[in-house]
Amino acid sequence: MEYKLPIGVNIDLETGVIPGAKKLVRRLSNLKGYFQDEDAYNELLKEDPVVYEVYAVEQEEKDGDLNFATTVLYPGKVGKEFFFTKGHFHAKADRAEIYYGIKGKGGMLLQTPEGKAEWIPMGPGTVVYVPPYWAHRTVNTSDEPFIFLAIYPADAGHDYGSIAEKGFSKLVIEENGEVKVIDNPRWKE
């Protein structure tokens, strides 16, 4: 039997960067159709800010292995809606995931395929367990970068299409200086 070698990496806890990791950058233009306020989206799109960056250490997609990644989710809003990650189900829906808050404040919006939603606030030291079959999206509710670590099965895959098509049943907005989770009027059951 040939054994895979163990690895160790250092995460810069101030910036979220994992040196040598695969980097993915998502700009506002990569999130067309995701935000509720289309006028505010189109206005902010003129600047096309970076919404988040992912630093991933990925293994071969096989059963029993793990990937891990940090995400740096920048502060900002489109209208009243806080910046968020695209959100996804796992392509292999029976796979779970763990998130660990490193820096900043935000939360995890989770949803079943039928639209039952849960909101879990996150900060440094918060661990969120994402059960199998739940879509999940992180949201930055602060004025500084929200940095977190995700650990997930290497064969889980990402189903972004379901979210792009239907969205989440809830929106996370700022209203009168407070974080509120409200119904998404555009959600498609």
Side-chain angles (χ1 to χ4, degrees):
M1 175 175 214
E2 193 169 319
Y3 292 100
K4 183 179 218 166
L5 292 175
I7 61 169
V9 300
N10 289 316
I11 298 171
D12 184 321
L13 300 179
E14 285 300 310
T15 66
V17 173
I18 302 174
K22 177 177 138 187
K23 181 179 178 181
L24 168 74
V25 177
R26 293 246 196 248
R27 302 185 88 78
L28 187 63
S29 55
N30 301 122
L31 297 167
K32 182 172 177 50
Y34 282 78
F35 289 94
Q36 182 71 22
D37 187 335
E38 291 179 22
D39 291 336
Y41 173 87
N42 288 327
E43 185 61 32
L44 190 56
L45 188 59
K46 294 173 186 173
E47 301 169 28
D48 199 16
V50 172
V51 176
Y52 63 99
E53 298 170 341
V54 178
Y55 298 87
V57 178
E58 297 176 326
Q59 311 305 316
E60 189 179 332
E61 285 188 28
K62 63 179 186 179
D63 187 39
D65 218 339
L66 293 172
N67 290 338
F68 60 93
T70 54
T71 299
V72 181
L73 178 53
Y74 291 101
K77 289 193 292 270
V78 175
K80 292 181 173 184
E81 210 170 347
F82 292 103
F83 277 5
F84 53 67
T85 58
K86 275 186 160 184
H88 61 273
F89 287 96
H90 287 146
K92 287 190 176 178
D94 64 347
R95 301 302 196 252
E97 188 166 357
I98 295 289
Y99 281 72
Y100 177 75
I102 295 173
K103 185 178 180 187
K105 282 187 353 185
M108 173 84 60
L109 184 61
L110 300 104
Q111 173 180 300
T112 65
E114 297 78 25
K116 175 181 171 19
E118 297 288 334
W119 169 251
I120 301 174
M122 292 179 69
T126 304
V127 176
V128 175
Y129 167 68
V130 179
Y133 305 102
W134 284 74
H136 41 291
R137 157 183 287 165
T138 46
V139 182
N140 184 339
T141 59
S142 72
D143 58 2
E144 66 177 320
F146 175 38
I147 301 170
F148 52 88
L149 172 71
I151 303 166
Y152 50 99
D155 67 343
H158 296 89
D159 169 11
Y160 292 108
S162 296
I163 301 304
E165 181 183 318
K166 293 176 66 170
F168 273 77
S169 64
K170 302 289 182 186
L171 303 175
V172 183
I173 65 165
E174 181 178 41
E175 193 169 81
N176 301 321
E178 292 187 24
V179 176
K180 297 210 175 198
V181 180
I182 63 168
D183 289 337
N184 181 352
R186 292 191 334 200
W187 188 69
K188 301 169 188 145
E189 281 189 66

mmCIF file of all heavy atoms in Angstrom, residues 10-43:
data_model
loop_
_atom_site.group_PDB
_atom_site.id
_atom_site.type_symbol
_atom_site.label_atom_id
_atom_site.label_comp_id
_atom_site.label_asym_id
_atom_site.label_seq_id
_atom_site.Cartn_x
_atom_site.Cartn_y
_atom_site.Cartn_z
ATOM 1 N N ASN A 10 0.660 26.700 7.707
ATOM 2 C CA ASN A 10 0.356 27.788 8.625
ATOM 3 C C ASN A 10 -0.663 28.707 7.979
ATOM 4 O O ASN A 10 -0.513 29.087 6.815
ATOM 5 C CB ASN A 10 1.618 28.593 8.953
ATOM 6 C CG ASN A 10 2.571 27.806 9.822
ATOM 7 O OD1 ASN A 10 2.150 27.166 10.779
ATOM 8 N ND2 ASN A 10 3.845 27.827 9.487
ATOM 9 N N ILE A 11 -1.679 29.056 8.743
ATOM 10 C CA ILE A 11 -2.686 30.018 8.299
ATOM 11 C C ILE A 11 -2.332 31.350 8.934
ATOM 12 O O ILE A 11 -2.128 31.430 10.151
ATOM 13 C CB ILE A 11 -4.104 29.598 8.753
ATOM 14 C CG1 ILE A 11 -4.481 28.255 8.133
ATOM 15 C CG2 ILE A 11 -5.121 30.682 8.405
ATOM 16 C CD1 ILE A 11 -5.761 27.658 8.697
ATOM 17 N N ASP A 12 -2.236 32.397 8.127
ATOM 18 C CA ASP A 12 -2.040 33.736 8.673
ATOM 19 C C ASP A 12 -3.371 34.163 9.286
ATOM 20 O O ASP A 12 -4.339 34.443 8.567
ATOM 21 C CB ASP A 12 -1.604 34.703 7.573
ATOM 22 C CG ASP A 12 -1.282 36.083 8.104
ATOM 23 O OD1 ASP A 12 -1.988 36.561 9.013
ATOM 24 O OD2 ASP A 12 -0.327 36.694 7.595
ATOM 25 N N LEU A 13 -3.448 34.192 10.605
ATOM 26 C CA LEU A 13 -4.712 34.461 11.305
ATOM 27 C C LEU A 13 -5.176 35.906 11.168
ATOM 28 O O LEU A 13 -6.334 36.207 11.426
ATOM 29 C CB LEU A 13 -4.592 34.069 12.779
ATOM 30 C CG LEU A 13 -4.265 32.602 13.041
ATOM 31 C CD1 LEU A 13 -4.150 32.333 14.535
ATOM 32 C CD2 LEU A 13 -5.293 31.682 12.409
ATOM 33 N N GLU A 14 -4.294 36.791 10.751
ATOM 34 C CA GLU A 14 -4.681 38.196 10.532
ATOM 35 C C GLU A 14 -5.288 38.399 9.147
ATOM 36 O O GLU A 14 -6.202 39.189 8.978
ATOM 37 C CB GLU A 14 -3.468 39.124 10.704
ATOM 38 C CG GLU A 14 -3.066 39.320 12.150
ATOM 39 C CD GLU A 14 -4.188 39.925 12.994
ATOM 40 O OE1 GLU A 14 -4.763 40.953 12.582
ATOM 41 O OE2 GLU A 14 -4.497 39.369 14.053
ATOM 42 N N THR A 15 -4.757 37.687 8.142
ATOM 43 C CA THR A 15 -5.198 37.898 6.762
ATOM 44 C C THR A 15 -6.031 36.745 6.207
ATOM 45 O O THR A 15 -6.712 36.912 5.193
ATOM 46 C CB THR A 15 -3.992 38.090 5.832
ATOM 47 O OG1 THR A 15 -3.240 36.856 5.786
ATOM 48 C CG2 THR A 15 -3.110 39.237 6.285
ATOM 49 N N GLY A 16 -5.946 35.557 6.821
ATOM 50 C CA GLY A 16 -6.650 34.384 6.323
ATOM 51 C C GLY A 16 -5.923 33.644 5.222
ATOM 52 O O GLY A 16 -6.383 32.608 4.756
ATOM 53 N N VAL A 17 -4.777 34.126 4.801
ATOM 54 C CA VAL A 17 -4.041 33.524 3.694
ATOM 55 C C VAL A 17 -3.356 32.226 4.142
ATOM 56 O O VAL A 17 -2.765 32.166 5.220
ATOM 57 C CB VAL A 17 -2.995 34.517 3.131
ATOM 58 C CG1 VAL A 17 -2.093 33.847 2.096
ATOM 59 C CG2 VAL A 17 -3.689 35.739 2.531
ATOM 60 N N ILE A 18 -3.461 31.212 3.288
ATOM 61 C CA ILE A 18 -2.682 29.976 3.449
ATOM 62 C C ILE A 18 -1.630 30.011 2.340
ATOM 63 O O ILE A 18 -1.977 29.837 1.158
ATOM 64 C CB ILE A 18 -3.548 28.708 3.306
ATOM 65 C CG1 ILE A 18 -4.684 28.694 4.326
ATOM 66 C CG2 ILE A 18 -2.672 27.460 3.447
ATOM 67 C CD1 ILE A 18 -5.670 27.535 4.149
ATOM 68 N N PRO A 19 -0.361 30.267 2.676
ATOM 69 C CA PRO A 19 0.670 30.345 1.634
ATOM 70 C C PRO A 19 0.721 29.064 0.801
ATOM 71 O O PRO A 19 0.652 27.957 1.332
ATOM 72 C CB PRO A 19 1.969 30.533 2.433
ATOM 73 C CG PRO A 19 1.526 31.130 3.736
ATOM 74 C CD PRO A 19 0.176 30.500 4.019
ATOM 75 N N GLY A 20 0.783 29.241 -0.513
ATOM 76 C CA GLY A 20 0.880 28.099 -1.427
ATOM 77 C C GLY A 20 -0.445 27.450 -1.775
ATOM 78 O O GLY A 20 -0.492 26.554 -2.609
ATOM 79 N N ALA A 21 -1.533 27.886 -1.154
ATOM 80 C CA ALA A 21 -2.838 27.302 -1.439
ATOM 81 C C ALA A 21 -3.389 27.827 -2.758
ATOM 82 O O ALA A 21 -2.992 28.889 -3.245
ATOM 83 C CB ALA A 21 -3.814 27.626 -0.304
ATOM 84 N N LYS A 22 -4.325 27.078 -3.324
ATOM 85 C CA LYS A 22 -5.029 27.526 -4.533
ATOM 86 C C LYS A 22 -5.939 28.698 -4.143
ATOM 87 O O LYS A 22 -6.715 28.591 -3.194
ATOM 88 C CB LYS A 22 -5.857 26.363 -5.078
ATOM 89 C CG LYS A 22 -6.689 26.689 -6.292
ATOM 90 C CD LYS A 22 -7.396 25.425 -6.770
ATOM 91 C CE LYS A 22 -8.816 25.761 -7.146
ATOM 92 N NZ LYS A 22 -9.607 24.576 -7.451
ATOM 93 N N LYS A 23 -5.837 29.808 -4.874
ATOM 94 C CA LYS A 23 -6.608 31.015 -4.540
ATOM 95 C C LYS A 23 -7.744 31.210 -5.549
ATOM 96 O O LYS A 23 -7.541 31.146 -6.757
ATOM 97 C CB LYS A 23 -5.690 32.242 -4.550
ATOM 98 C CG LYS A 23 -6.397 33.531 -4.191
ATOM 99 C CD LYS A 23 -5.425 34.715 -4.200
ATOM 100 C CE LYS A 23 -6.123 36.017 -3.880
ATOM 101 N NZ LYS A 23 -5.191 37.155 -3.912
ATOM 102 N N LEU A 24 -8.935 31.476 -5.003
ATOM 103 C CA LEU A 24 -10.110 31.794 -5.809
ATOM 104 C C LEU A 24 -10.602 33.170 -5.378
ATOM 105 O O LEU A 24 -10.746 33.422 -4.174
ATOM 106 C CB LEU A 24 -11.213 30.760 -5.568
ATOM 107 C CG LEU A 24 -12.595 31.099 -6.121
ATOM 108 C CD1 LEU A 24 -12.615 30.939 -7.634
ATOM 109 C CD2 LEU A 24 -13.653 30.221 -5.485
ATOM 110 N N VAL A 25 -10.843 34.052 -6.332
ATOM 111 C CA VAL A 25 -11.344 35.397 -6.035
ATOM 112 C C VAL A 25 -12.732 35.535 -6.642
ATOM 113 O O VAL A 25 -12.920 35.266 -7.833
ATOM 114 C CB VAL A 25 -10.409 36.484 -6.614
ATOM 115 C CG1 VAL A 25 -10.975 37.877 -6.372
ATOM 116 C CG2 VAL A 25 -9.013 36.357 -6.012
ATOM 117 N N ARG A 26 -13.701 35.935 -5.814
ATOM 118 C CA ARG A 26 -15.055 36.192 -6.308
ATOM 119 C C ARG A 26 -15.340 37.682 -6.166
ATOM 120 O O ARG A 26 -15.315 38.231 -5.068
ATOM 121 C CB ARG A 26 -16.087 35.413 -5.509
ATOM 122 C CG ARG A 26 -15.987 33.934 -5.714
ATOM 123 C CD ARG A 26 -17.212 33.402 -6.420
ATOM 124 N NE ARG A 26 -17.280 31.966 -6.285
ATOM 125 C CZ ARG A 26 -17.116 31.135 -7.290
ATOM 126 N NH1 ARG A 26 -16.887 31.577 -8.497
ATOM 127 N NH2 ARG A 26 -17.206 29.837 -7.095
ATOM 128 N N ARG A 27 -15.631 38.303 -7.300
ATOM 129 C CA ARG A 27 -15.995 39.716 -7.342
ATOM 130 C C ARG A 27 -17.523 39.829 -7.365
ATOM 131 O O ARG A 27 -18.224 38.835 -7.593
ATOM 132 C CB ARG A 27 -15.386 40.374 -8.572
ATOM 133 C CG ARG A 27 -13.863 40.258 -8.645
ATOM 134 C CD ARG A 27 -13.283 41.025 -9.803
ATOM 135 N NE ARG A 27 -12.993 42.399 -9.447
ATOM 136 C CZ ARG A 27 -11.937 42.799 -8.742
ATOM 137 N NH1 ARG A 27 -11.069 41.917 -8.313
ATOM 138 N NH2 ARG A 27 -11.757 44.064 -8.475
ATOM 139 N N LEU A 28 -18.002 41.033 -7.196
ATOM 140 C CA LEU A 28 -19.450 41.255 -7.246
ATOM 141 C C LEU A 28 -20.025 40.757 -8.567
ATOM 142 O O LEU A 28 -21.119 40.187 -8.604
ATOM 143 C CB LEU A 28 -19.759 42.742 -7.038
ATOM 144 C CG LEU A 28 -21.234 43.091 -6.912
ATOM 145 C CD1 LEU A 28 -21.853 42.423 -5.688
ATOM 146 C CD2 LEU A 28 -21.429 44.594 -6.858
ATOM 147 N N SER A 29 -19.285 40.942 -9.664
ATOM 148 C CA SER A 29 -19.763 40.495 -10.981
ATOM 149 C C SER A 29 -19.976 38.981 -11.044
ATOM 150 O O SER A 29 -20.745 38.501 -11.884
ATOM 151 C CB SER A 29 -18.800 40.939 -12.081
ATOM 152 O OG SER A 29 -17.490 40.481 -11.810
ATOM 153 N N ASN A 30 -19.346 38.217 -10.162
ATOM 154 C CA ASN A 30 -19.544 36.765 -10.097
ATOM 155 C C ASN A 30 -20.827 36.392 -9.365
ATOM 156 O O ASN A 30 -21.180 35.213 -9.290
ATOM 157 C CB ASN A 30 -18.373 36.076 -9.403
ATOM 158 C CG ASN A 30 -17.042 36.307 -10.075
ATOM 159 O OD1 ASN A 30 -16.107 36.814 -9.468
ATOM 160 N ND2 ASN A 30 -16.944 35.956 -11.347
ATOM 161 N N LEU A 31 -21.512 37.390 -8.793
ATOM 162 C CA LEU A 31 -22.714 37.141 -7.992
ATOM 163 C C LEU A 31 -23.959 37.764 -8.626
ATOM 164 O O LEU A 31 -24.922 38.101 -7.935
ATOM 165 C CB LEU A 31 -22.511 37.673 -6.566
ATOM 166 C CG LEU A 31 -21.379 36.987 -5.786
ATOM 167 C CD1 LEU A 31 -21.040 37.765 -4.536
ATOM 168 C CD2 LEU A 31 -21.747 35.555 -5.450
ATOM 169 N N LYS A 32 -23.952 37.890 -9.935
ATOM 170 C CA LYS A 32 -25.100 38.471 -10.641
ATOM 171 C C LYS A 32 -26.350 37.624 -10.380
ATOM 172 O O LYS A 32 -26.322 36.411 -10.522
ATOM 173 C CB LYS A 32 -24.818 38.551 -12.136
ATOM 174 C CG LYS A 32 -25.948 39.197 -12.930
ATOM 175 C CD LYS A 32 -25.537 39.427 -14.371
ATOM 176 C CE LYS A 32 -26.631 40.003 -15.232
ATOM 177 N NZ LYS A 32 -27.313 41.158 -14.704
ATOM 178 N N GLY A 33 -27.427 38.284 -9.994
ATOM 179 C CA GLY A 33 -28.684 37.599 -9.738
ATOM 180 C C GLY A 33 -28.846 37.078 -8.320
ATOM 181 O O GLY A 33 -29.906 36.572 -7.965
ATOM 182 N N TYR A 34 -27.810 37.191 -7.493
ATOM 183 C CA TYR A 34 -27.878 36.660 -6.130
ATOM 184 C C TYR A 34 -28.478 37.648 -5.135
ATOM 185 O O TYR A 34 -29.060 37.245 -4.137
ATOM 186 C CB TYR A 34 -26.481 36.256 -5.652
ATOM 187 C CG TYR A 34 -25.994 34.937 -6.214
ATOM 188 C CD1 TYR A 34 -25.497 34.852 -7.509
ATOM 189 C CD2 TYR A 34 -26.031 33.777 -5.446
ATOM 190 C CE1 TYR A 34 -25.052 33.655 -8.025
ATOM 191 C CE2 TYR A 34 -25.580 32.573 -5.953
ATOM 192 C CZ TYR A 34 -25.094 32.522 -7.252
ATOM 193 O OH TYR A 34 -24.655 31.326 -7.767
ATOM 194 N N PHE A 35 -28.282 38.953 -5.362
ATOM 195 C CA PHE A 35 -28.751 39.959 -4.407
ATOM 196 C C PHE A 35 -30.146 40.449 -4.778
ATOM 197 O O PHE A 35 -30.496 40.538 -5.962
ATOM 198 C CB PHE A 35 -27.769 41.141 -4.341
ATOM 199 C CG PHE A 35 -26.474 40.805 -3.660
ATOM 200 C CD1 PHE A 35 -25.372 40.398 -4.394
ATOM 201 C CD2 PHE A 35 -26.354 40.887 -2.279
ATOM 202 C CE1 PHE A 35 -24.173 40.077 -3.775
ATOM 203 C CE2 PHE A 35 -25.165 40.565 -1.647
ATOM 204 C CZ PHE A 35 -24.072 40.160 -2.394
ATOM 205 N N GLN A 36 -30.922 40.809 -3.774
ATOM 206 C CA GLN A 36 -32.305 41.227 -3.933
ATOM 207 C C GLN A 36 -32.439 42.569 -4.663
ATOM 208 O O GLN A 36 -33.259 42.712 -5.559
ATOM 209 C CB GLN A 36 -32.949 41.319 -2.540
ATOM 210 C CG GLN A 36 -34.406 41.700 -2.538
ATOM 211 C CD GLN A 36 -35.285 40.583 -3.056
ATOM 212 O OE1 GLN A 36 -34.911 39.425 -3.055
ATOM 213 N NE2 GLN A 36 -36.454 40.927 -3.527
ATOM 214 N N ASP A 37 -31.643 43.556 -4.270
ATOM 215 C CA ASP A 37 -31.766 44.921 -4.793
ATOM 216 C C ASP A 37 -30.932 45.071 -6.067
ATOM 217 O O ASP A 37 -29.742 45.361 -6.018
ATOM 218 C CB ASP A 37 -31.327 45.922 -3.722
ATOM 219 C CG ASP A 37 -31.580 47.367 -4.098
ATOM 220 O OD1 ASP A 37 -31.651 47.674 -5.312
ATOM 221 O OD2 ASP A 37 -31.676 48.198 -3.170
ATOM 222 N N GLU A 38 -31.570 44.880 -7.216
ATOM 223 C CA GLU A 38 -30.846 44.901 -8.493
ATOM 224 C C GLU A 38 -30.287 46.282 -8.820
ATOM 225 O O GLU A 38 -29.203 46.394 -9.407
ATOM 226 C CB GLU A 38 -31.746 44.396 -9.610
ATOM 227 C CG GLU A 38 -32.049 42.912 -9.475
ATOM 228 C CD GLU A 38 -32.975 42.388 -10.565
ATOM 229 O OE1 GLU A 38 -33.078 43.016 -11.641
ATOM 230 O OE2 GLU A 38 -33.588 41.338 -10.329
ATOM 231 N N ASP A 39 -31.001 47.353 -8.451
ATOM 232 C CA ASP A 39 -30.494 48.708 -8.708
ATOM 233 C C ASP A 39 -29.221 48.963 -7.917
ATOM 234 O O ASP A 39 -28.242 49.492 -8.456
ATOM 235 C CB ASP A 39 -31.554 49.768 -8.366
ATOM 236 C CG ASP A 39 -32.738 49.731 -9.330
ATOM 237 O OD1 ASP A 39 -32.573 49.251 -10.479
ATOM 238 O OD2 ASP A 39 -33.835 50.183 -8.936
ATOM 239 N N ALA A 40 -29.223 48.595 -6.643
ATOM 240 C CA ALA A 40 -28.025 48.770 -5.805
ATOM 241 C C ALA A 40 -26.888 47.896 -6.328
ATOM 242 O O ALA A 40 -25.730 48.322 -6.334
ATOM 243 C CB ALA A 40 -28.343 48.432 -4.347
ATOM 244 N N TYR A 41 -27.209 46.687 -6.775
ATOM 245 C CA TYR A 41 -26.195 45.799 -7.351
ATOM 246 C C TYR A 41 -25.551 46.455 -8.574
ATOM 247 O O TYR A 41 -24.328 46.515 -8.688
ATOM 248 C CB TYR A 41 -26.818 44.448 -7.733
ATOM 249 C CG TYR A 41 -25.864 43.547 -8.486
ATOM 250 C CD1 TYR A 41 -24.992 42.712 -7.803
ATOM 251 C CD2 TYR A 41 -25.819 43.545 -9.886
ATOM 252 C CE1 TYR A 41 -24.092 41.905 -8.495
ATOM 253 C CE2 TYR A 41 -24.935 42.746 -10.574
ATOM 254 C CZ TYR A 41 -24.072 41.925 -9.877
ATOM 255 O OH TYR A 41 -23.184 41.135 -10.557
ATOM 256 N N ASN A 42 -26.370 46.940 -9.483
ATOM 257 C CA ASN A 42 -25.850 47.545 -10.717
ATOM 258 C C ASN A 42 -25.019 48.789 -10.428
ATOM 259 O O ASN A 42 -24.019 49.031 -11.114
ATOM 260 C CB ASN A 42 -26.990 47.864 -11.674
ATOM 261 C CG ASN A 42 -27.568 46.594 -12.283
ATOM 262 O OD1 ASN A 42 -26.856 45.617 -12.509
ATOM 263 N ND2 ASN A 42 -28.870 46.597 -12.512
ATOM 264 N N GLU A 43 -25.403 49.573 -9.421
ATOM 265 C CA GLU A 43 -24.626 50.760 -9.057
ATOM 266 C C GLU A 43 -23.253 50.360 -8.509
ATOM 267 O O GLU A 43 -22.227 50.896 -8.917
ATOM 268 C CB GLU A 43 -25.394 51.606 -8.027
ATOM 269 C CG GLU A 43 -24.745 52.914 -7.673
ATOM 270 C CD GLU A 43 -24.574 53.866 -8.864
ATOM 271 O OE1 GLU A 43 -25.411 53.849 -9.789
ATOM 272 O OE2 GLU A 43 -23.565 54.612 -8.874
#
